Amino acid sequence: MNIEKSKELYSKAIRLMPGGVNSPVRAFRSVGGEPLFMKQGRGSRLVDVDDNEYIDYCMSWGPLILGHADSDVIKAITGAAANGTSFGTPNPFEVTIAGMVAKRFPSIEKIRFVNSGTEAVMSAIRLARGFTGKNRIIKFDGCYHGHADHLLVAAGSGLATFGTPDSAGVTPGNAADTLIVPFNDLEAVAETVEKNGDTIAAVILEPLPCNYSMIPPADGFLRGVRELCDRKGILLIFDEVITGFRLAPGGAQEYYGVAADLTTLGKIIGGGLPVGAYGGRADIMSMIAPDGPVYQAGTLSGNPLAMAAGITTLEKLDRTGAYMKLKKLSDEFAGILAPVLKKHEGRFLLQRLESVFAFYFTGRKEVSSLAQVKECDMKLFGRFHAGMLSRGIYLSPSGYEVGFLSTAHSSADLEKTAAAIDESLRAVLA
Ligand SMILES: *Cc1c(COP(=O)(O)O)cnc(C)c1O
């Protein structure tokens, strides 16, 4: 495989940007090798600057549920752009998409649009603190909520350890208000709430954690957390930046039948443009400026291009029966892969839920906790990743990331991917 132009760009990039990238995992550090520079995306495919083509399962880390450069989304963006890229005033697109979200998420009575998932979560936490008058939050070990200071805390395992920063530059003061609890451990949540309940503003979680590989919530876990929050007047925040419009039109809340007080959204809602949003109960949202004392603003928030891309994405998902199609595609993938998985049983595992999947190099039949993800062999994943890349399959460059199917993936894509998995595994596990 010729990757000369990528190599040349990378050598320039590392002199100009930290790690040569604008987001760390893109640098391939955890899988080895050098990042590829892409110049085009079409449907399920990415094309790099050396004209190599890949079937993509990173899909820009989740937003591209309709595939790259969906013709309707592109039309919506160019149509909006022709009338101006930003007005700094309210625009009709914002009203349309706010209504579309409210229709899909009954718990979101009011919504505010921002420019990234990080910004959405940061603002939702500020709002929860402003509304409750309490300072602390409970966060789960291994859940990622963007890079706001007080959320860059994972802390060690163990029960409700007080957070220590995960990143240089985060003050201990910032981290101290974040209590860390293991995901899927309802007893630990109960104990932490019992001990600290009067000081806790919110519990935040990814209802289906997808940023430390994929960890499905145990039966009754989400409902249990909901009940504990209700008992103590704690707000429950679902970070649905990945799961929103992915697991179902109404996200994990619809999928698992548990509603949140506040929800953060991102990724799919922007149709591939930079968008985040947070919303929830009207009485809570009314605390936000200009209605209330919690300040939050944005120069480009709700801009017409991003809103148009989001509207078209949500509308097309509905109109084309996308969720049924994605479910069928996921089942087909598992079916095609079954003999390959059987061959490597006890060393390699696929877990999937709707259109999200993850690979694990583990002896387990199921991975259901962060501790079990940590046991997986990430060195093997790195070699597997390189093997897949050389066979024209682009997986997210980290064993801690998930893969995404889009409506643009075809049966032929899945067949080719399964063959590449078989060959790569045979080389890696030989
Ligand atoms: C991606 C992600 C974020 C951060 O969103 P950005 O747009 O990258 O800032 C927050 N929460 C979850 C669950 C995510 O997957």
Side-chain angles (χ1 to χ4, degrees):
M1 199 167 75
N2 173 21
I3 53 166
E4 243 164 71
K5 285 185 183 153
S6 269
K7 281 188 175 296
E8 198 182 311
L9 278 168
Y10 186 53
S11 72
K12 281 185 193 154
I14 49 177
R15 282 186 307 238
L16 295 165
M17 295 178 278
V21 294
N22 285 306
S23 196
V25 186
R26 295 181 196 172
F28 272 48
R29 295 281 166 89
S30 69
V31 291
E34 291 184 1
L36 297 169
F37 286 67
M38 299 297 171
K39 67 173 183 186
Q40 191 180 58
R42 275 176 313 199
S44 63
R45 306 296 171 114
L46 272 174
V47 181
D48 71 15
V49 288
D50 293 287
D51 288 320
N52 301 300
E53 192 175 281
Y54 307 86
I55 302 172
D56 182 21
Y57 292 97
C58 176
M59 300 315 278
S60 194
W61 308 92
L64 304 179
I65 192 166
L66 299 174
H68 291 276
D70 175 82
S71 58
D72 291 317
V73 175
I74 299 301
K75 214 184 294 166
I77 294 171
T78 51
N83 290 318
T85 53
S86 182
F87 309 131
T89 69
N91 67 66
F93 293 116
E94 296 169 291
V95 184
T96 302
I97 195 167
M100 291 174 83
V101 176
K103 201 174 124 214
R104 287 160 178 76
F105 283 79
S107 74
I108 301 183
E109 295 171 339
K110 284 190 174 179
I111 190 164
R112 169 68 59 88
F113 285 91
V114 293
N115 303 292
S116 70
T118 295
E119 206 185 327
V121 172
M122 188 181 83
S123 309
I125 299 278
R126 181 184 306 140
L127 172 59
R129 287 175 167 154
F131 180 79
T132 59
K134 298 187 275 186
N135 289 341
R136 284 172 161 167
I137 55 171
I138 290 180
K139 173 193 175 295
F140 291 86
D141 197 3
C143 279
Y144 179 67
H145 302 294
H147 62 84
D149 281 353
H150 47 282
L151 291 160
L152 274 184
V153 184
S157 52
L159 199 67
T161 30
F162 281 89
T164 49
D166 232 12
S167 159
V170 174
T171 66
N174 238 318
D177 281 329
T178 305
L179 305 173
I180 307 296
V181 175
F183 193 80
N184 273 344
D185 188 342
L186 195 55
E187 254 173 63
V189 185
E191 219 169 286
T192 307
V193 163
E194 197 49 52
K195 233 187 276 173
N196 308 280
D198 299 336
T199 63
I200 294 170
V203 172
I204 183 165
L205 52 81
E206 295 179 70
L208 170 70
C210 284
N211 282 287
Y212 218 117
S213 211
M214 187 177 80
I215 304 172
D219 279 349
F221 177 69
L222 297 175
R223 191 168 302 282
V225 173
R226 172 77 270 177
E227 281 163 13
L228 287 168
C229 286
D230 288 342
R231 213 177 301 157
K232 283 281 183 183
I234 297 169
L235 297 183
L236 178 58
I237 306 176
F238 274 9
D239 182 351
E240 297 228 39
V241 170
I242 283 186
T243 51
F245 316 107
R246 168 66 67 180
L247 291 186
Q253 302 181 41
E254 177 184 336
Y255 196 77
Y256 293 112
V258 179
D261 298 307
L262 290 173
T263 300
T264 56
L265 298 166
K267 299 194 169 120
I268 290 173
I269 200 174
L273 291 189
V275 179
Y278 63 107
R281 271 167 40 199
D283 62 323
I284 305 173
M285 293 300 287
S286 299
M287 293 291 284
I288 300 169
D291 283 350
V294 177
Y295 195 71
Q296 188 271 310
T299 301
L300 293 170
S301 294
N303 96 83
L305 272 60
M307 298 296 100
I311 289 167
T312 302
T313 300
L314 300 192
E315 184 270 322
K316 190 165 182 179
L317 284 170
D318 262 18
R319 179 165 51 79
T320 58
Y323 296 96
M324 281 292 279
K325 184 175 175 196
L326 287 166
K327 189 179 189 56
K328 265 173 58 188
L329 211 57
S330 174
D331 289 346
E332 189 182 348
F333 193 32
I336 297 170
L337 266 180
V340 179
L341 296 172
K342 182 91 194 141
K343 216 183 311 178
H344 300 287
E345 206 172 3
R347 303 192 69 184
F348 182 76
L349 176 73
L350 163 77
Q351 286 192 153
R352 67 192 174 95
L353 197 70
E354 303 301 319
S355 57
V356 189
F357 65 86
F359 297 127
Y360 313 76
F361 284 88
T362 178
R364 293 181 184 278
K365 287 198 158 52
E366 181 192 34
V367 170
S368 58
S369 72
L370 182 62
Q372 292 172 4
V373 174
K374 285 179 174 169
E375 290 166 11
C376 294
D377 192 329
M378 292 301 165
K379 277 217 179 70
L380 282 183
F381 183 87
R383 289 171 51 205
F384 173 69
H385 184 272
M388 294 295 279
L389 206 56
S390 71
R391 291 173 176 87
I393 313 292
Y394 192 88
L395 301 175
S396 299
S398 163
Y400 295 110
E401 302 290 345
V402 294
F404 296 102
L405 295 171
S406 77
T407 55
H409 284 90
S410 67
S411 300
D413 288 340
L414 300 181
E415 297 275 3
K416 186 173 174 205
T417 304
I421 292 173
D422 194 16
E423 288 170 24
S424 302
L425 284 179
R426 258 187 283 171
V428 168
L429 296 176

